[in-house]
Amino acid sequence: QESSNGEIMPDPKNQNPLKYYIMDCMRYFGRSGKHQEFLFTLPLSRLLFKYPFLESMFMDKNQLVSFAYQTQRIKLYNKAVNIFQFIDSHYTLDLDSLQLYAYNLEKLHRHEEAILFLEKAAIINPDSKWTQIHLGLCYLKCNNHQKALPVYQRLSVIYPEDKTIAYRYGLCLEKEKKYEKALKQFYKVEYLDPAHQRSILAIAQCSFKMQNAYQANKYFCKMEDANMDDAIRMQAGHAAWITGDIQRALKLYGTTSSAPFSFSAEDISILKSFNIEDDDITLIEDTVNLHKKSIE
């Protein structure tokens, strides 16, 4: 700015650019709910925690929650968690805030921490489908199947047509080695969505664990090639071999990435449980390796 005598006067905004930057951010988010690609030029943790003179600007709970929601929308999950930690240290979190906090922790794969806030949310509203689904999922991610099981058991009764709930309930049952009950859930998913690849795989693997190689092979054959990694190819190869489809077994074994091809101790144990002889195992290994060399 220029004074009346021609001198250059300092711009008041430049005296405290950080303060005005924050105010501009708050006005930006306050006036428009449609902006989703705004990127901060300063780390939010610095703005919240390293400038004490700005603290009074952030003591409005509703404004803080709105700010956290906006950072979540633009996928700045770490920043959103920082804000919720700040809110949690000053206020009692309501249901929406607990859910949002947990969701951002989930996005950062901090599932054990997310469980703490989801359990609190479940106490406030035990009938919230969103809370129960995410609580069950976090239990699954933490391999706490015993706690996940009653969550999905209850949800499956309330929402019998929800294929995601049925699939995850089946996973809980399978982990607890309740294979027959697990299969019922996976069949339900298949009925609701015949192309659901994860349920097709689950039926195949569950059937194989029950020593039903014919059903396992039937469902492995329904798998799309793009959805099969080396471990699945090996399992599918075992099912094909045990049911007499040697050519399919050789093809599946041959498309694994192992070089040279060989069966692991676990593979050999599985094959022997279906009465496959040692000599046959060695012969298949040699045949697969000869085929791979001929292609090279």
Side-chain angles (χ1 to χ4, degrees), residues 19 29 40 57 62 98 128-129 133-134 150 156 159 162 193 195 216 266 287:
K19 177 179 179 180
F29 286 128
F40 294 101
M57 297 175 62
N62 292 332
L98 287 167
S128 168
K129 181 182 179 181
I133 285 176
H134 285 263
S156 70
Y159 306 102
D162 190 311
D193 181 4
E266 183 181 359
T287 304

Side-chain angles (χ1 to χ4, degrees), residues 185-283:
Q185 296 303 314
F186 296 140
Y187 287 139
K188 181 192 289 187
V189 180
E190 184 190 24
Y191 173 76
L192 294 170
D193 181 4
H196 194 278
Q197 288 288 290
R198 288 180 297 170
S199 65
I200 290 171
L201 173 61
I203 293 170
Q205 292 178 324
C206 221
S207 300
F208 201 68
K209 289 173 183 176
M210 295 174 69
Q211 298 283 298
N212 190 342
Y214 286 92
Q215 179 162 274
N217 185 52
K218 173 184 173 181
Y219 277 87
F220 276 125
C221 287
K222 293 183 179 183
M223 289 285 298
E224 295 174 5
D225 191 66
N227 293 317
M228 300 178 74
D229 58 19
D230 280 0
I232 296 172
R233 289 177 193 280
M234 289 296 289
Q235 291 176 326
H238 298 341
W241 184 6
I242 292 162
T243 55
D245 192 346
I246 303 296
Q247 292 304 312
R248 174 172 164 77
L250 290 172
K251 179 182 177 182
L252 287 162
Y253 293 147
T255 52
T256 59
S257 58
S258 60
F261 174 81
S262 64
F263 293 114
S264 68
E266 183 181 359
D267 290 322
I268 292 171
S269 176
I270 291 169
L271 291 168
K272 284 186 173 182
S273 72
F274 285 94
N275 300 318
I276 302 294
E277 302 289 339
D278 285 330
D279 289 345
D280 292 329
I281 291 171
T282 302
L283 178 61

Side-chain angles (χ1 to χ4, degrees), residues 18-153:
L18 182 59
K19 177 179 179 180
Y20 283 94
Y21 174 78
I22 297 300
M23 292 175 69
D24 286 343
C25 284
M26 294 176 75
R27 282 194 296 269
Y28 177 88
F29 286 128
R31 290 177 181 176
S32 175
K34 296 182 180 179
H35 298 296
Q36 298 184 29
E37 298 180 356
F38 181 79
L39 298 178
F40 294 101
T41 57
L42 291 172
L44 191 59
S45 57
R46 282 176 54 196
L47 303 183
L48 287 177
F49 307 121
K50 300 196 177 181
Y51 294 89
F53 67 91
L54 290 172
E55 185 172 336
S56 62
M57 297 175 62
F58 290 94
M59 294 312 292
D60 183 324
K61 180 182 178 182
N62 292 332
Q63 185 66 63
L64 284 167
V65 172
S66 176
F67 207 38
Y69 176 66
Q70 296 294 346
T71 56
Q72 173 187 305
R73 287 180 63 192
I74 55 177
K75 300 183 180 180
L76 295 176
Y77 304 118
N78 267 313
K79 307 303 182 185
V81 165
N82 287 339
I83 298 173
F84 278 118
Q85 286 175 338
F86 183 80
I87 299 171
D88 193 30
S89 66
H90 290 81
Y91 303 97
T92 300
L93 295 174
D94 57 21
L95 177 61
D96 288 343
S97 297
L98 287 167
Q99 290 174 326
L100 286 170
Y101 196 175
Y103 178 79
N104 284 279
L105 288 167
E106 279 186 72
K107 286 295 185 180
L108 297 173
H109 305 290
R110 292 161 61 177
H111 297 102
E112 289 186 2
E113 293 172 75
I115 286 171
L116 297 175
F117 297 99
L118 288 166
E119 287 178 337
K120 290 179 181 180
I123 292 171
I124 296 172
N125 183 4
D127 296 323
S128 168
K129 181 182 179 181
W130 188 95
T131 299
Q132 293 297 326
I133 285 176
H134 285 263
L135 181 58
L137 177 60
C138 285
Y139 283 143
L140 277 176
K141 293 289 186 180
C142 295
N143 293 316
N144 193 339
H145 308 113
Q146 289 184 340
K147 280 197 171 183
L149 192 58
V151 173
Y152 283 113
Q153 185 176 26

